[in-house]
Amino acid sequence: MVRKGILFVVSGSSGVGKGTINKAVLEKVSDIRMSVSATTRPKREGEVEGRDYFFVSPDEFAARVKNGDFLEYAKVYSHMYGTPRQFVEENMQKGYDLLLEIDIQGAMKVKEQMPQGVFIFIQPPSREVLAQRIHGRGKDSMDSIRARLAAYEQEMAMRKHYDYVVVNDDLEEAVYKVQAIIVAERCRVRI
Ligand code: 5GP
């Protein structure tokens, strides 16, 4: 019998560095695949269709929602994002471990459907560091900064729903910790 794949959900606030961590993890860990989400947001420079995202129109996204194609979907900063159900289920059945990079609301929806997944919360070093980073960029209005910091408190409160917390202070260390979690989970005795 083929061992069923393990679903690793890496999530946390937008801008916390989960994308950077995941890319590094993918290079270091063998036999793990990254799920590619669909989004309605425009493609950024350097992004590749099917590698970074499947870029779809709002109409197509809505049709896929209606069709039940997404394991979860969410609106994140004015664009829609969805995790393709078929890709996740097929790969897990075949025994591949999967890495999912999604926001917190999405992770909670996946947890409802797949509580056997491994949920990893990426945390910024502190509220102060987050505030400094936002201020430092100089792009956000005071209202937006307040909203983001308010969201920070709410997001921290979600940590208790996760299996692991990794603080992204030093990138290399954060990558090492996620890698270690994957290795440990693969060694776990499962029923
Ligand atoms: P970005 O547009 O910068 O690539 O991503 C914005 C946010 O959407 C990030 O926090 C990212 O993790 C999240 N995201 C990406 N794909 C999905 C998805 O399929 N579902 C959900 N819920 N969030 C996603």
Side-chain angles (χ1 to χ4, degrees), residues 176-187:
Y176 173 72
K177 285 178 179 168
V178 173
Q179 226 183 314
I181 292 166
I182 295 172
V183 172
E185 286 292 334
R186 284 177 170 176
C187 294

Side-chain angles (χ1 to χ4, degrees), residues 14 18 37 41 44 53 72 74 76 81-83 101-103 106:
S14 185
K18 49 193 188 294
S37 298
R41 88 146 158 74
R44 292 184 192 134
Y53 283 105
E72 63 76 37
V76 187
Y81 294 83
T83 306
E101 183 208 320
I102 51 179
D103 81 321

Side-chain angles (χ1 to χ4, degrees), residues 39-176:
T39 182
T40 60
R41 88 146 158 74
K43 198 196 281 183
R44 292 184 192 134
E45 212 181 306
E47 286 184 329
V48 177
E49 165 78 17
R51 184 194 70 187
D52 298 291
Y53 283 105
F54 293 105
F55 296 94
V56 300
S57 69
D59 281 351
E60 190 176 341
F61 195 95
R64 290 199 194 175
V65 168
K66 212 170 158 194
N67 210 23
D69 289 356
F70 296 125
L71 188 60
E72 63 76 37
Y73 63 92
K75 193 173 192 178
V76 187
Y77 295 116
S78 76
H79 293 293
M80 300 303 294
Y81 294 83
T83 306
R85 180 187 299 279
Q86 202 186 356
F87 179 87
V88 171
E89 288 177 352
E90 274 181 14
N91 276 286
M92 285 179 66
Q93 281 302 335
K94 285 182 193 157
Y96 290 107
D97 291 345
L98 280 185
L99 203 55
L100 227 68
E101 183 208 320
I102 51 179
D103 81 321
I104 296 169
Q105 37 174 343
M108 293 302 100
K109 287 188 220 160
V110 172
K111 198 176 177 199
E112 278 168 25
Q113 298 182 63
M114 298 190 162
Q116 75 280 19
V118 178
F119 293 81
I120 307 170
F121 185 87
I122 308 295
Q123 182 183 315
S126 67
R127 191 179 188 276
E128 287 65 38
V129 171
L130 186 72
Q132 276 166 16
R133 284 183 191 168
I134 297 172
H135 278 290
R137 292 195 313 194
K139 283 183 183 170
D140 300 79
S141 67
M142 281 314 286
D143 274 355
S144 154
I145 292 172
R146 260 193 290 272
R148 277 166 180 266
L149 292 177
Y152 170 80
E153 302 296 347
Q154 285 168 9
E155 286 164 355
M156 286 304 112
M158 299 303 287
R159 274 181 310 186
K160 60 176 182 286
H161 301 294
Y162 286 76
D163 301 302
Y164 296 96
V165 173
V166 171
V167 178
N168 187 15
D169 192 353
D170 176 74
L171 177 66
E172 212 172 302
E173 205 178 313
V175 171
Y176 173 72

